[in-house]
Structures are given as structure tokens and as C-alpha cells.
Amino acid sequence: MRLYGVGSRDKEDTEDNYNHQPPTTNYQLPITIMELRHLRYFIAVAEELNFSRAAERLHMAQPPLSQQIRDLEAEIEVRLFDRTKRRVELTVAGRVFLEKVRQLLRQIEQAVEAAQRASRGEIGPLSLGFNSSATYSVLPTLLKAFRERCPEVVLDLHELTTPQQILQLQQQQIDAGILYLPIDLEEIELEIVSVLKEGMAIAIPETHPLATSTQISIRALSQELFVLPPARLGSGLYNQIRQFFQQTEFSPIAVQEAIQLQTSISLVAGGVGVALVPSSLQNLQRAGVIYRSLIEPTPEIEIAVAWRKGERSPILQHFIDSIYEHFSVEMLHV
């Protein structure tokens, strides 16, 4: 940190008892810890306009205080006070210096406070990835719990598929991910906590002949067109849906792929087909779409929170703590 002082003195300012040399111009003054103390001494004298009272306020003797002020004036090559036996007054330069020094010390105090708050995880950014279905299940609760704990942390949210989250965790582009399990870990070690397990439901157009049924067998949909997650995703929800079809020996007629569940529901509303979705997606009420449970048992869709193993920044630790406070979580070892 550097304090820059530039200037020349008026003729009357050179006629003091301290025989200051004429100042150089465009010089740079580095501020050390000792010199910061000098600045506080200067403020005390400037506010008291009395060396005895200033010394008492600073809990020090007057002669050392007077010497410190002389040292400061010599260092910056500016006379800050007009001194006589009867009074002490700020020079014009001293008044300007007082204003700037007060600003400087306030900024230093603010910088120290900001650093301390950042070290406690109270301020700063947290980057989170999340799957689309988390929007309708765990994400609102997670965010609310974390907001209550750290209201001034800046959240940077990214809607991503599970493979995209794994990649961005590996590349340190996000701090944590809210994703589907299971996941294939090859080049990155993660710490993972499971926060939700749920079944699946079938989304159908509200005009569908089976709309009046409370439960539907998957076999009753053998002639229906299905909107499915892309096979290239190869993990999470896609694997669970594929497992369900294998267990029920059901071969769906795929008509369209959709990465995001909201897109799947929009396609169902448009009459393109039907879709298997996590049960929590029923919180997404869309005109033209209804949800029905399946007669056949469905695999569990599992949502977890993952972060890089061994990484516990103060902000991330607050996020993890908020998860444990508001969810019955299970730490997974993968």
C-alpha cells in the first residue's frame, strides 16, 4: 500500500521552527505499520489541537508524541501544524491531510473487516451446479437454508446435467453440484451426500384416455410415443429409466430426446408423447399435463450434493453445514 504526496509549500509555510527542506515533487511514500501509527497520532493532535490532551488520549508522554509528529512532517516534507507557545493549528496542508488520512484509515478498517468476514465464510461467492429436477425438489430448501446462514454470500447458479457438473467440478468451475446418482468417477475424487430418494411418475397429456386413472401400468403405454433423456448422457436419470424398462421388459417407442425435464413436460403438453419423470416434478404444474403414479415399482431417483474431496473453503463449509441441518443426509463413499 502506498500513499502518494505531491506538492510545494507556500513561503509562509517554510518559516517554522523545524527547518524542513524544500519538498521534492512526484515522490512516493510507502506506508509501514509504524507510519500508520504516526497517522493515528496525527489525527489525535489534529482533533485535540493540543499536544498534552492528545498525548493523554493516546496514553503516552507528550515529548515522544511531538517527536513522532516531527518525524511524520519530515517524512512527507509538509508542515502540518502551526505551533506557538499558546496554540496549535492545522495548516491548510494539514487540513487536507487530515481528511485524506481519515479516509485511508476507514478504508483499512473496512479492508480488515472484509478479510475477517471472508475468512469466516460470511461474504464472497459460491458457485453451484444443479440438475433441472432439483428445482422442484431439494434446491429451494437448500438455497433458503444457506441464505439464512450466509445472507451476504453471492450465489452463482448453473443449471447443468450431471456429466456437465462432474466436468465443471473437475475443472474447478463450480464449488459444488446437485446431481443425480449414480455417477461414474474416473479422474476426480468427490465427497458426496445423498439428500433425496424418490420414485418416478408418468407425465401424460390431460386429454389422454388414461387421464381418469389414478394409477397406470407401463404396459398400458406400449403404443405411446416416449420423450426420453438422451442416451449420450449415460448416467443418473437416464440409467434409472433404462433400468425400469429392463425390469418391466418394456420397449418404449422413442419419439424425441430432451435434456431438460422442463422441455420434456413442454413436449408432453404439446401432445408429442409421454415421459417418465421424477415424482417431485409433479410440483411443476403445466397446463395440458397431468401426472400419474405407476403400478409397477420404479427404481429410486437419488439426488446428492457433491464437492471436490478435501476442499472445504469457509463458504463451502457453511453450505455443507446447512445441508446437514436441514436434511437427513447420508455420506456416500465412492
Side-chain angles (χ1 to χ4, degrees):
M1 178 173 56
R2 294 184 179 274
L3 174 67
Y4 299 94
V6 179
S8 62
R9 294 175 292 177
D10 295 334
K11 180 179 180 181
E12 63 175 358
D13 287 340
T14 65
E15 298 171 353
D16 55 35
N17 297 325
Y18 298 93
N19 298 318
H20 291 164
Q21 296 298 317
T24 58
T25 59
N26 297 324
Y27 64 86
Q28 297 181 352
L29 171 63
I31 298 298
T32 65
I33 296 299
M34 174 63 75
E35 288 162 340
L36 286 175
R37 187 168 69 242
H38 287 176
L39 298 182
R40 293 188 173 92
Y41 294 163
F42 163 73
I43 289 177
V45 176
E47 291 178 347
E48 298 292 343
L49 292 178
N50 183 288
F51 277 83
S52 296
R53 290 197 299 269
E56 183 178 352
R57 168 175 158 181
L58 294 166
H59 305 289
M60 63 187 298
Q62 179 179 335
L65 175 60
S66 298
Q67 185 59 51
Q68 296 285 5
I69 297 300
R70 289 190 187 95
D71 292 344
L72 177 61
E73 290 179 316
E75 182 69 28
I76 68 175
E77 299 181 350
V78 171
R79 182 159 54 85
L80 301 172
F81 295 99
D82 283 326
R83 306 162 177 82
T84 69
K85 293 182 178 180
R86 295 184 177 181
R87 62 183 176 83
V88 176
E89 289 185 353
L90 283 165
T91 64
V92 172
R95 289 195 292 270
V96 172
F97 192 61
L98 176 62
E99 177 186 354
K100 298 302 181 182
V101 166
R102 282 171 170 165
Q103 293 175 4
L104 174 63
L105 294 183
R106 281 196 296 269
Q107 290 172 352
I108 291 173
E109 290 170 357
Q110 291 167 359
V112 170
E113 181 184 359
Q116 291 172 340
R117 296 188 66 199
S119 72
R120 296 192 297 265
E122 296 174 1
I123 59 175
L126 180 68
S127 182
L128 297 177
F130 64 94
N131 274 321
S132 58
S133 70
T135 307
Y136 307 101
S137 56
V138 299
L139 184 63
T141 303
L142 279 172
L143 296 184
K144 182 180 179 182
F146 182 64
R147 276 283 180 224
E148 291 174 352
R149 175 183 283 263
C150 299
E152 296 185 59
V153 167
V154 177
L155 285 171
D156 185 18
L157 301 175
H158 305 270
E159 186 172 358
L160 303 166
T161 63
T162 293
Q164 288 172 334
Q165 290 186 62
I166 298 299
L167 179 62
Q168 292 203 14
L169 282 167
Q170 180 181 348
Q171 296 176 346
Q172 298 187 354
Q173 295 177 329
I174 58 175
D175 299 307
I178 305 167
L179 40 72
Y180 292 121
L181 296 181
I183 55 179
D184 183 20
L185 298 176
E186 295 181 355
E187 299 182 6
I188 182 173
E189 289 188 274
L190 298 177
E191 294 185 61
I192 302 174
V193 291
S194 175
V195 294
L196 176 68
K197 294 179 181 179
E198 60 178 332
M200 289 186 286
I202 188 76
I204 61 176
E206 64 180 2
T207 56
H208 194 281
L210 295 175
T212 57
S213 303
T214 57
Q215 282 188 315
I216 297 175
S217 170
I218 190 66
R219 301 192 179 284
L221 302 173
S222 60
Q223 300 304 310
E224 297 293 333
L225 303 178
F226 276 76
V227 179
L228 298 172
R232 67 179 182 275
L233 295 183
S235 63
L237 181 61
Y238 171 78
N239 284 341
Q240 301 300 80
I241 291 176
R242 183 180 61 180
Q243 178 185 341
F244 175 68
F245 288 147
Q246 290 174 346
Q247 289 175 351
T248 56
E249 298 181 348
F250 182 82
S251 298
I253 304 172
V255 64
Q256 181 67 48
E257 292 184 345
I259 295 176
Q260 304 298 342
L261 290 171
Q262 296 94 322
T263 303
S264 298
I265 298 305
S266 294
L267 294 175
V268 173
V272 173
V274 300
L276 270 173
V277 296
S279 295
S280 61
L281 206 69
Q282 296 178 68
N283 292 323
L284 172 58
Q285 295 299 316
R286 179 68 182 268
V289 177
I290 59 173
Y291 303 89
R292 292 292 181 261
S293 60
L294 289 161
I295 294 175
E296 294 82 3
T298 64
E300 285 187 329
I301 304 294
E302 190 168 11
I303 295 180
V305 180
W307 60 92
R308 286 177 293 277
K309 190 172 184 178
E311 183 168 321
R312 292 288 185 95
S313 69
I315 293 178
L316 180 59
Q317 186 62 58
H318 279 306
F319 181 66
I320 295 168
D321 290 343
S322 68
I323 295 172
Y324 278 91
E325 287 179 3
H326 290 80
F327 289 86
S328 298
V329 303
E330 176 186 355
M331 173 65 79
L332 304 180
H333 299 281
V334 294

